[in-house]
Amino acid sequence: FAGAISDLKKNTRECSVCHNIGETDQCDICSDQNRDKSVICVVEQPLDVLAIERSDGYKGVYHVLHGVIDPLHNIGPEEIKINELLERSNNAKEIILALNPNMEGEATCLYLKKLLKDVKITRLAHGLPVGADIGTLHCLTWVRSRAVRAATSDQRAAQSLRRCRGKMAVRGCATIGVRWPRRAAMGCGAARRL
């Protein structure tokens, strides 16, 4: 057991491209030729990469900042991997800012938007989670979800429901329409309550 822990420390390194944690100089994601290298998803920590990869829907690459701008804790832009992101942004068509929606994450996003002017910058959607009860929402969540609302489309909703059912079948979850027929239109959020 002690040898395994020692090997873990010796073999763990930071990816030279995205700064994720891996066992080689370039992580598996950066060395994957099937990934779209023109789309970079910026995250705060390596664990955020794992969370997004579990969704199995993102096919771009990542950039791990290893923190966010936090003046209260003396963490400025120099202490996180922003300069490395600026170097990589020359070849990018889109940069997705997937930082936590707290004060530090918002400040970091604003700072990055000011620096990255020659590339399309997008953010993850804010608002209502699937399966949420509107009566228990924080007021800021309601304001944000109302500000970025989208028109409904029966075709888009049907596609989303088919995708959710397919993923749940692969992961061994119950089928939505069988266990909760009343909630079938809600999407995969209803099935996550199993």
Side-chain angles (χ1 to χ4, degrees):
F1 181 71
I5 291 177
S6 175
D7 288 343
L8 178 68
K9 186 171 179 164
K10 276 190 241 173
N11 295 333
T12 302
R13 48 187 93 216
E14 191 175 295
C15 176
S16 62
V17 178
C18 72
H19 303 283
N20 193 10
I21 304 299
E23 294 179 350
T24 57
D25 183 48
Q26 273 196 10
C27 68
D28 294 339
I29 295 171
C30 289
S31 60
D32 186 352
Q33 296 301 318
N34 295 323
R35 293 282 183 154
D36 183 0
K37 306 229 187 305
S38 68
V39 180
I40 301 172
C41 182
V42 179
V43 296
E44 183 178 339
Q45 298 294 338
L47 287 177
D48 299 334
V49 173
L50 295 175
I52 295 171
E53 283 296 299
R54 264 183 286 171
S55 72
D56 198 33
Y58 178 68
K59 300 300 178 196
V61 293
Y62 296 91
H63 185 84
V64 182
L65 292 175
H66 288 277
V68 287
I69 297 172
D70 186 1
L72 293 176
H73 293 101
N74 292 326
I75 300 172
E78 302 80 27
E79 282 78 41
I80 58 178
K81 307 287 184 184
I82 289 180
N83 289 330
E84 293 84 347
L85 175 61
L86 295 175
E87 292 172 14
R88 291 183 69 193
S89 69
N90 295 333
N91 300 327
K93 291 181 185 171
E94 179 182 7
I95 294 181
I96 304 168
L97 300 177
L99 302 177
N100 290 321
N102 53 25
M103 293 297 286
E104 296 82 10
E106 295 292 324
T108 306
C109 287
L110 286 173
Y111 184 79
L112 289 172
K113 283 182 188 179
K114 288 181 181 179
L115 292 177
L116 301 164
K117 295 185 181 188
D118 298 331
V119 64
K120 178 182 176 184
I121 305 291
T122 57
R123 295 275 320 258
L124 292 181
H126 294 92
L128 301 173
V130 175
D133 183 47
I134 291 176
T136 61
L137 291 178
H138 186 273
C139 61
L140 186 57
T141 302
W142 173 247
V143 169
R144 283 187 174 171
S145 63
R146 206 176 62 215
V148 294
R149 67 187 180 273
T152 59
S153 163
D154 291 337
Q155 183 180 7
R156 195 166 78 188
Q159 284 177 330
S160 178
L161 185 57
R162 280 194 298 273
R163 267 196 316 266
C164 290
R165 282 185 177 164
K167 283 184 182 181
M168 289 182 341
V170 169
R171 293 182 181 156
C173 299
T175 305
I176 295 173
V178 174
R179 186 151 182 198
W180 290 315
R182 187 175 67 78
R183 296 185 178 175
M186 291 178 63
C188 63
R192 288 188 185 132
R193 295 184 182 182
L194 285 175

